[in-house]
C-alpha cells in the first residue's frame, strides 16, 4: 500500500465550506482535463441499497457538496442529476445505473448510482463488475432489507470492498445500534461503527467522530452547503464516546496484527494507526466501517466523503485484472504505460450518438486511437472520449488506467466487450446476465410498424442484456422476457415513448422441471449404421434429484472403472446430458438433477465423441420420463409493510395467492410481513395491496428460487 495514500487518508480534514470545495473541484477538474488524475487518487465506487433507502439523495448531496451542482436535486421533485430518465422521474425510483464524477480532497470520485429494485439487479451486476469499492446505504429504521441482502451478495461475488452509511437518522424510530446489529445478523461482516449520533430522531444534529474523538455538527437553520462545524465532544456524550472508542480499538486490534501490537503496548490505538488498519480491513473484507447521517437534511455527507477517500481502495490497491487470449491467462496492472485494456459495461443511445461506457484497467486511451474489439476481432476507431455526468458529457482528449469514461466510435461494442490494444489482445470476463423469469407477447398494433418494432427491440436488448427477445413456438408471436413485471413495464414504456403503438399480452413466468424419483441402472445403447463409419455407444447411468424439489443446478460424475469408457467419451456423455437439460418432457428447461455414469462399453471402430454425446442426451431424456417429471415455478420472498388495521386483509390475500407467511413483526408503527409467494400470483399485486391498505401499504420482492407447482398445472 502506498504511503502517500495513507498520509492523505489520515490527514484529510472535514471541509468546512461548500465554496472551498467548489473552488478546489474546479481547479482539479481543469488539471485533470489536461493530464488526467493520478491513478492513486481515483476512487471508483457504487452506491448500493434497497429501494427507498436514499441512494440517489446521497449521490445528489455528494454532487452538491463537491461543487458539481449548484442546487440540491430532490427525488420527489424529479430534479435529480442521476435519475434523469423521464420514467425514473415519473416513478420516483432509480431504473438505470448512472455514472457521475466529482472531486473531494484532491481525489477524483467516479460514482455509479445503482437501482435498488430487484427487477433491475442486472444493472447492479454490470456496475459491480467494474467498481473498486462501494457505499452500502441502509435505512436507520428498517436496517437490512431484502434487496440490501441481494446487492450485498452481488458485491461479495465480485469481491468489492464496502463501507456502510446508515441514512435517515432523523426519522422516528431511527437507531444506529439496531441497524448495526441487523448488518451483523443478516450480512455477517464485522461492522465497526466509527461514529456516535448526537441527538435522536428529529433532534439528530451531528455525530461524534470516534477515530479523532471530535464532534461534527450541522446546526438547524444553517444555509444548505454551509458546511460542518467541528468542535469538542458534548459533555453528556464524553463518557459514552470514550467507551465506544475503546470498543472500536479492541475490535480492530483483534483483526489487525500491527494494531494488536500497539494495543498491547499502549492499551489503545492512535488515530493514524486506527485509520490505516481500518483501510486495510476494509480492503480485505474483514470488517465494515459504519457511518451515519441524514442525506435529506445534509448531515453526515462530508465525513462520508472523507471515509470514501480514507478507506476504499484506489485502482492501485486492487489486484491486476485477469483475462486470457487463445487460452493463455494474462494480467494487466493499473498502469498508464501498460497496453490498453478496457471493459464495456453499458451501451446507450444519446443526443451525442451511440455511447459505450467503459472501465479502463490498463494503458492510455486517446481520441483517434484504433482499438481491437476482442469479441469480434474487428478494430474500431475512437472518435471521442467523454467524461460522463449522468446525461451530460464533457469531451476530453485522453483517459488512463483507473478511469470510467464513455466513448463514441465503438460501433460494434456490446455490453461485456473487451476493447484492447491491437498488438496486445486480451479478453476480460464480462458480467453474466441472469436468466429472465417473466415473458410477455409484444406486437405492433399496425403491421407497417413491425420492422420498426424489431429494430427498437434490438436496441433495447443491446442496452440491457437481461432483456431477451424471442418468439412463441405455438402462436409465432414475438416475445419479450425480463427480470420482473416492472422490468417489462419499463421496457414497453420505452417503446411507446419512442412512438411505437404496441399491444402486450399477459405476463407468463419461466417454469423449470426436474424429476420426482431417482432412476438407477438405466441402460442406453446407441447403435446407428447407415453406410461408412457407424455410431456405437453403450452407457449405464443413475439419475437422481440433486436435493429437495426446487434445488437448482446440475451435477455429473463418473464411477466407471477399468477404462470401460475412456475419459474423452465420459466428457462427451456429460456434454450430451447438458444438451438434454435445455428441454425436458414438459417442455421446460431441466434443473436440480445429478447424473452418475456407472458403466459402459465401446466399439473399436464405431465409438466416437458424437456417439457418446448422443447416448448421454438420450439417456437423460429417458430417465426424466421414467422418473416422473415435476414442474417447478419461480417463487419470490415478499416483504410487505402495512398499517396494523390492514394486516388481516393482506394475510388473507397472500393465502389466496398460495403464499406461505413466515413472520410478522412491528416496525415504526407498521407491521412487516414476510412470505414466500409464487411469482405468477403476484401480477397486479401492487394495486391490490394499495386497495386493501387505503394506499398505505408497500412491498418488495426478491427471487427465492423454484418450488413445485400445483398438480393442476402439471
Amino acid at each position: 500500500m502506498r504511503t502517500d495514500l495513507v498520509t492523505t487518508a489520515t490527514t484529510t480534514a472535514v471541509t468546512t465550506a461548500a465554496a472551498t470545495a467548489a473552488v478546489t473541484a474546479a481547479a482539479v477538474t481543469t488539471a485533470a482535463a489536461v493530464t488526467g488524475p493520478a491513478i492513486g487518487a481515483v476512487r471508483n465506487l457504487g452506491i448500493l441499497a434497497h429501494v427507498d433507502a436514499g441512494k440517489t439523495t446521497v449521490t445528489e448531496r455528494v454532487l452538491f457538496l463537491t461543487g458539481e451542482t449548484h442546487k440540491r436535486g430532490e427525488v420527489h421533485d424529479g430534479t435529480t442529476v442521476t435519475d434523469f430518465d423521464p420514467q425514473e422521474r415519473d416513478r420516483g425510483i432509480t431504473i438505470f445505473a448512472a455514472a457521475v464524477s466529482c472531486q473531494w480532497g484532491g481525489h477524483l470520485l467516479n460514482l455509479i448510482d445503482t437501482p435498488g429494485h430487484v427487477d433491475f439487479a442486472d444493472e447492479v451486476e454490470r456496475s459491480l463488475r467494474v467498481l473498486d469499492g462501494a457505499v452500502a446505504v441502509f435505512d436507520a429504521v428498517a436496517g437490512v432489507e431484502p434487496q440490501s441482502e441481494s446487492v450485498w451478495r452481488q458485491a461479495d461475488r465480485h469481491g468489492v470492498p464496502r463501507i456502510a452509511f446508515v441514512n435517515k437518522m432523523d426519522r422516528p424510530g431511527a437507531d444506529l445500534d439496531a441497524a448495526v446489529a441487523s448488518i451483523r445478523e443478516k450480512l455477517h461482516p464485522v461492522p465497526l461503527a466509527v461514529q456516535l449520533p448526537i441527538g435522536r430522531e428529529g433532534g439528530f444534529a451531528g455525530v461524534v467522530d470516534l477515530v479523532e474523538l471530535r464532534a461534527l455538527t450541522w446546526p438547524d437553520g444553517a444555509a444548505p452547503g454551509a458546511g460542518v462545524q467541528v468542535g469538542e465532544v458534548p459533555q453528556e456524550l464524553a463518557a459514552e464516546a470514550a467507551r465506544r472508542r475503546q470498543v472500536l480499538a479492541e475490535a480492530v486490534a483483534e483483526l489487525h496484527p500491527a494494531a494488536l501490537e500497539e494495543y498491547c503496548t499502549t492499551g489503545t490505538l492512535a488515530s493514524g494507526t486506527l485509520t490505516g488498519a481500518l483501510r486495510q480491513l476494509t480492503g480485505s473484507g474483514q470488517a465494515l466501517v459504519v457511518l451515519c447521517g441524514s442525506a435529506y437534511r445534509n448531515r453526515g455527507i462530508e465525513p462520508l466523503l472523507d471515509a470514501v477517500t480514507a478507506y476504499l481502495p484506489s485502482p492501485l490497491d486492487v489486484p491486476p485484472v485477469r483475462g486470457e487470449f487463445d487460452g493463455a491467462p494474462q494480467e494487466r496492472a493499473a498502469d498508464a504505460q501498460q497496453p490498453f485494456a478496457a471493459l464495456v459495461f453499458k451501451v446507450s443511445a444519446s443526443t451525442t450518438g451511440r455511447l459505450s461506457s467503459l472501465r479502463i484497467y490498463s494503458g492510455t486511451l486517446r481520441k483517434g486511437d484504433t482499438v481491437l474489439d476482442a469479441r469480434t476481432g474487428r478494430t474500431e476507431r475512437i472518435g471521442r472520449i467523454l467524461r460522463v455526468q449522468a446525461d451530460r458529457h464533457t469531451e476530453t482528449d485522453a483517459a488512463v488506467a483507473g478511469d470510467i469514461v464513455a466513448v463514441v466510435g465503438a460501433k460494434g461494442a456490446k455490453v461485456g466487450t473487451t476493447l484492447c490494444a491491437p498488438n496486445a489482445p486480451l479478453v476480460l470476463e464480462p458480467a453474466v446476465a441472469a436468466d429472465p423469469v417473466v415473458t410477455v407477447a409484444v406486437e405492433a398494433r399496425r403491421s407497417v410498424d413491425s420492422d420498426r418494432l424489431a429494430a427498437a427491440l434490438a436496441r433495447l436488448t443491446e442496452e440491457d442484456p437481461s432483456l431477451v427477445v424471442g418468439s412463441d413456438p405455438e402462436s409465432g408471436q414475438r416475445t419479450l422476457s425480463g427480470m420482473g413485471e416492472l422490468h417489462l413495464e419499463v421496457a414497453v414504456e420505452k417503446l411507446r415513448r419512442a412512438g411505437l403503438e404496441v399491444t402486450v399480452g399477459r405476463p407468463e413466468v419461466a417454469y423449470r422441471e426436474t424429476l420426482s424419483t431417482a432412476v438407477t441402472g438405466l441402460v442406453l445403447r446407441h447403435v446407428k449404421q447407415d453406410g461408412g463409419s457407424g455410431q456405437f455407444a453403450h452407457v449405464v447411468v443413475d439419475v437422481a434429484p440433486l436435493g429437495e424439489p426446487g434445488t437448482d443446478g446440475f451435477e455429473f460424475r463418473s464411477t466407471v472403472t477399468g477404462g470401460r469408457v475412456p475419459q474423452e467419451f465420459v466428457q462427451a456423455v456429460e456434454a450430451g446430458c447438458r444438451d438434454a437439460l435445455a428441454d425436458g418432457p414438459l417442455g421446460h428447461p431441466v434443473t436440480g438433477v445429478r447424473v452418475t455414469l456407472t458403466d459402459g462399453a465401446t466399439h473399436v471402430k464405431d465409438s466416437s465423441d458424437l456417439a457418446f454425446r448422443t447416448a448421454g442426451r438420450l439417456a437423460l431424456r429417458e430417465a426424466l420420463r421414467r422418473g416422473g417429471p415435476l414442474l417447478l415455478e419461480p417463487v419470490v420472498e415478499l416483504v410487505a409493510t402495512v398499517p396494523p388495521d390492514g394486516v388481516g386483509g393482506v394475510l388473507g390475500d397472500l393465502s389466496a395467492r398460495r403464499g406461505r407467511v413466515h413472520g410478522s413483526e412491528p416496525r415504526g408503527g407498521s407491521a412487516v410481513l414476510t412470505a414466500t409467494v409464487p411469482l405468477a400470483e403476484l401480477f397486479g399485486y401492487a394495486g391490490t395491496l394499495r386497495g386493501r391498505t387505503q394506499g398505505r401499504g408497500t412491498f418488495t420482492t426478491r427471487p427465492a428460487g423454484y418450488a413445485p407447482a400445483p398438480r393442476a398445472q402439471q
Side-chain angles (χ1 to χ4, degrees):
M1 186 172 62
R2 285 177 46 174
T3 56
D4 59 330
L5 294 183
V6 176
T7 302
T8 300
T10 305
T11 61
T12 298
V14 177
T15 301
T16 59
T20 303
V23 172
T24 302
V28 178
T29 301
T30 302
V34 177
T35 63
I39 298 175
V42 174
R43 299 290 185 272
N44 295 316
L45 65 143
I47 310 295
L48 312 175
H50 184 89
V51 65
D52 287 337
K55 300 180 309 301
T56 301
T57 302
V58 169
T59 305
E60 290 298 318
R61 297 307 184 264
V62 167
L63 293 176
F64 180 69
L65 286 170
T66 56
E68 289 297 326
T69 59
H70 304 290
K71 183 180 179 181
R72 296 173 301 167
E74 304 293 356
V75 174
H76 55 271
D77 291 335
T79 57
T80 58
V81 172
T82 53
D83 286 353
F84 58 86
D85 187 271
Q87 287 202 71
E88 293 180 309
R89 295 185 170 180
D90 291 346
R91 298 174 185 270
I93 61 172
T94 300
I95 297 173
F96 309 106
V100 293
S101 297
C102 58
Q103 303 282 343
W104 182 260
H107 293 76
L108 172 66
L109 309 184
N110 294 319
L111 281 77
I112 298 182
D113 180 22
T114 64
H117 197 285
V118 65
D119 283 17
F120 309 107
D122 214 55
E123 284 274 331
V124 182
E125 190 78 17
R126 293 193 294 273
S127 299
L128 285 169
R129 174 62 182 83
V130 300
L131 294 174
D132 300 324
V135 175
V137 181
F138 300 95
D139 188 308
V141 177
V144 176
E145 298 175 271
Q147 189 61 9
S148 305
E149 294 186 59
S150 297
V151 296
W152 191 270
R153 304 306 173 207
Q154 287 178 287
D156 279 345
R157 287 198 301 273
H158 290 280
V160 175
R162 282 140 280 173
I163 61 175
F165 181 69
V166 179
N167 192 25
K168 304 186 179 182
M169 288 295 297
D170 56 332
R171 284 186 58 192
D175 189 331
L176 176 61
D177 290 339
V180 170
S182 174
I183 291 171
R184 180 184 294 106
E185 177 186 349
K186 297 182 179 180
L187 304 181
H188 310 298
V190 179
L192 300 176
V194 296
Q195 293 177 341
L196 170 66
I198 299 175
R200 292 181 56 86
E201 302 179 348
F204 174 71
V207 297
V208 174
D209 177 0
L210 297 179
V211 176
E212 300 286 350
L213 275 182
R214 59 184 179 175
L216 310 176
T217 56
W218 294 264
D220 285 325
V228 57
Q229 294 186 0
V230 182
E232 297 292 329
V233 177
Q235 188 62 36
E236 63 274 15
L237 291 176
E240 179 64 11
R243 185 188 70 82
R244 292 189 179 228
R245 173 61 159 77
Q246 189 65 15
V247 170
L248 174 64
E250 290 176 2
V252 170
E254 288 180 3
L255 299 170
H256 194 278
L260 177 60
E261 184 176 346
E262 179 176 322
Y263 185 84
C264 292
T265 303
T266 66
T268 187
L269 295 178
S271 59
T273 303
L274 194 53
T275 300
L278 287 172
R279 179 179 176 85
Q280 293 182 13
L281 293 174
T282 299
S284 65
Q286 293 176 268
L288 176 72
V289 172
V290 181
L291 303 97
C292 65
S294 170
Y296 182 70
R297 294 176 64 184
N298 306 291
R299 297 178 177 180
I301 303 302
E302 294 96 336
L304 174 62
L305 287 167
D306 287 337
V308 165
T309 61
Y311 304 128
L312 291 181
S314 76
L316 294 176
D317 299 322
V318 298
V321 66
R322 295 180 179 178
E324 64 172 35
F325 189 74
D326 283 344
Q330 299 185 31
E331 287 188 350
R332 296 282 170 83
D335 185 346
Q337 305 305 317
Q338 290 266 329
F340 171 72
L343 182 70
V344 177
F345 67 93
K346 189 176 181 67
V347 174
S348 57
S350 74
T351 55
T352 57
R354 184 180 186 274
L355 296 182
S356 301
S357 297
L358 48 90
R359 159 70 187 270
I360 301 177
Y361 285 99
S362 66
T364 301
L365 179 67
R366 295 179 178 85
K367 184 170 66 173
D369 279 356
T370 297
V371 298
L372 176 69
D373 182 335
R375 181 180 60 86
T376 63
R378 293 175 48 187
T379 56
E380 305 273 11
R381 184 178 181 276
I382 302 302
R384 287 189 292 166
I385 303 173
L386 305 173
R387 296 203 179 275
V388 180
Q389 203 73 346
D391 59 338
R392 296 181 288 114
H393 313 103
T394 303
E395 193 163 344
T396 185
D397 291 332
V400 300
D403 264 341
I404 292 179
V405 295
V407 298
V408 179
K411 299 178 181 179
K414 298 182 181 297
V415 173
T417 292
T418 301
L419 299 179
C420 56
N423 61 351
L426 171 74
V427 178
L428 301 175
E429 182 182 359
V432 179
D435 293 330
V437 295
V438 180
T439 300
V440 294
V442 181
E443 292 294 331
R445 286 188 178 178
R446 299 182 302 174
S447 58
V448 294
D449 288 338
S450 182
D451 290 343
R452 285 184 61 209
L453 176 61
L457 287 171
R459 285 194 300 271
L460 279 181
T461 55
E462 186 178 42
E463 294 181 2
D464 185 354
S466 60
L467 289 170
V468 178
V469 175
S471 61
D472 188 298
E474 296 182 0
S475 66
Q477 285 183 304
R478 185 181 283 112
T479 60
L480 181 65
S481 303
M483 302 303 297
E485 190 176 11
L486 179 59
H487 190 201
L488 294 180
E489 282 182 14
V490 168
V492 170
E493 184 62 22
K494 287 189 73 172
L495 297 175
R496 288 173 174 156
R497 294 190 184 214
L500 282 167
E501 295 184 15
V502 296
T503 57
V504 181
R506 188 181 186 279
E508 296 182 358
V509 301
Y511 291 96
R512 296 286 186 268
E513 58 182 273
T514 188
L515 77 167
S516 302
T517 57
V519 176
T520 58
L522 187 147
V523 179
L524 195 293
R525 185 180 177 88
H526 174 63
V527 181
K528 185 177 181 181
Q529 193 75 43
D530 53 3
S533 298
Q535 293 186 29
F536 178 89
H538 177 92
V539 297
V540 182
V541 297
D542 295 341
V543 183
L546 194 56
E548 294 296 321
T551 302
D552 195 20
F554 170 74
E555 286 185 8
F556 180 89
R557 59 187 180 185
S558 172
T559 59
V560 178
T561 58
R564 293 179 60 81
V565 180
Q567 184 59 35
E568 62 269 24
F569 292 159
V570 171
Q571 295 174 355
V573 174
E574 179 180 358
C577 291
R578 292 188 181 276
D579 292 342
L581 298 176
D583 190 15
L586 301 178
H588 303 288
V590 178
T591 189
V593 295
R594 178 188 293 111
V595 177
T596 304
L597 178 64
T598 60
D599 201 0
T602 61
H603 186 276
V604 66
K605 292 184 178 180
D606 293 344
S607 290
S608 64
D609 283 354
L610 176 61
F612 274 89
R613 184 165 187 159
T614 302
R617 182 177 70 252
L618 297 176
L620 181 53
R621 286 182 175 175
E622 179 61 25
L624 291 170
R625 283 191 290 267
R626 293 188 188 182
L630 178 66
L631 186 67
L632 304 173
E633 62 179 348
V635 296
V636 298
E637 180 183 307
L638 178 143
V639 179
T641 303
V642 301
D645 56 0
V647 171
V650 172
L651 288 175
D653 182 63
L654 289 175
S655 178
R657 295 173 185 269
R658 298 189 284 120
R660 292 185 298 161
V661 178
H662 303 307
S664 172
E665 64 180 46
R667 183 186 296 166
S670 299
V672 179
L673 310 178
T674 306
T676 302
V677 190
L679 179 60
E681 300 288 347
L682 286 180
F683 296 132
Y685 181 66
T688 301
L689 181 63
R690 284 194 295 266
R692 291 183 177 274
T693 60
Q694 293 77 48
R696 295 178 290 167
T698 61
F699 78 100
T700 60
T701 61
R702 64 169 178 168
Y706 284 81
R711 287 291 177 185
Q713 298 183 24
Q714 303 191 29

